Amino acid sequence: MSVFATLVVQLAGLLDPVFAASATAAAIVLFTMLVRVAMHPLTRAAVRGEKARAALAPQLAALRSTYGRPKDADRLQKAVLELHAEAKVPPLAGCLPMLVQLPVFFVMYQIFSSSRIGGEVNELLGQKLGAAPLGARWFDALGEGGAFGAQGLVFLGLFAAIAAVATWTFLRARRRTADAVVAIPATPGMQGLTRVLPLLTFGTLVTAAVVPLAAGLYLLTTTAWTAVERAWLYRDRPTTTAG
């Protein structure tokens, strides 16, 4: 945590002439963007894997049709693994970038939740975005003037921005999963998955309501980056049109 805290402090010092009292908040946004730039090669590899896995959809549908009976479950699993191995496509393509981010988010959460870092007083807790301390949570803001108080408005602005990103991601995810249903209509459970999976994008909004403001800024920045990055990486993907 000391290393991360030092990086945030140094970035805040560089940004202070421009952002003044909100320099630490700007440093968190910049720090998150630097993390995502470093992760971009992993994301590109994950997207290539997702595209390759999507190309296997007809073969997977055929396997499910062949081994659709409950007693053939083991044979189906073996056949699916063999198909992925033959095509050199990881079955869980796309998960690695998300897993790499978890430790970074956890450290950011700890930095703005701990009163001491490396045996010294954590001065980052006193930094603010507007009227809200970066270590404060939404429930703290509710006790300091309510939802529309000075601190509450900062959190409402954060929630509105996260909701906007989640809505855009939801619409794109719903369209992609709907295309998958058109492509492989015989896949069991796909209709239910189409309705449920895109809604998971709003989980970030729930998380931001219970973590420190600094962690909420990290979530906003990384989800916005993900939305734009994936839209760009999937820009050449054809859209299936239902007749």
Side-chain angles (χ1 to χ4, degrees):
M1 289 199 300
S2 297
V3 174
F4 277 74
T6 300
L7 287 174
V8 172
V9 170
Q10 291 178 346
L11 288 174
L14 294 174
L15 297 173
D16 184 72
V18 178
F19 294 96
S22 299
T24 302
I28 292 171
V29 174
L30 178 58
F31 172 80
T32 307
M33 295 174 66
L34 292 175
V35 170
R36 294 309 306 266
V37 168
M39 288 175 50
H40 184 68
L42 286 178
T43 304
R44 290 183 67 89
V47 169
R48 285 197 299 268
E50 290 176 5
K51 290 181 177 180
R53 187 176 59 180
L56 297 178
Q59 294 96 310
L60 290 172
L63 289 176
R64 292 189 184 99
S65 178
T66 303
Y67 304 108
R69 294 174 298 180
K71 67 178 183 179
D72 293 331
D74 291 339
R75 298 177 65 185
L76 173 61
Q77 181 180 12
K78 181 180 179 181
V80 169
L81 291 176
E82 289 176 349
L83 176 63
H84 281 92
E86 182 179 351
K88 297 180 180 181
V89 177
L92 299 179
C95 294
L96 186 58
M98 180 183 67
L99 295 176
V100 171
Q101 287 188 75
L102 289 178
V104 180
F105 173 75
F106 176 75
V107 171
M108 186 67 67
Y109 174 87
Q110 289 296 322
I111 286 176
F112 287 91
S113 299
S114 304
S115 59
R116 303 183 71 86
I117 297 178
E120 299 182 359
V121 176
N122 184 4
E123 298 182 355
L124 289 174
L125 294 180
Q127 303 301 314
K128 296 182 177 183
L129 173 61
L134 292 174
R137 292 168 170 78
W138 184 47
F139 297 107
D140 300 325
L142 293 179
E144 296 290 339
F148 297 99
Q151 293 189 27
L153 290 176
V154 174
F155 280 91
L156 290 179
L158 174 69
F159 297 157
I162 292 177
V165 174
T167 300
W168 187 45
T169 304
F170 165 78
L171 294 175
R172 288 183 56 82
R174 186 173 64 176
R175 185 166 64 249
R176 288 199 304 269
T177 50
D179 290 345
V181 171
V182 173
I184 37 177
T187 303
M190 183 60 75
Q191 293 288 349
L193 181 64
T194 304
R195 291 191 295 268
V196 175
L197 188 59
L199 293 175
L200 297 180
T201 60
F202 292 95
T204 304
L205 187 59
V206 178
T207 304
V210 297
V211 299
L213 177 59
L217 285 175
Y218 177 88
L219 288 174
L220 170 61
T221 307
T222 194
T223 52
W225 182 286
T226 297
V228 174
E229 184 179 50
R230 293 182 72 84
W232 180 67
L233 291 174
Y234 277 102
R235 65 192 184 282
D236 58 344
R237 183 174 180 176
T239 300
T240 302
T241 303

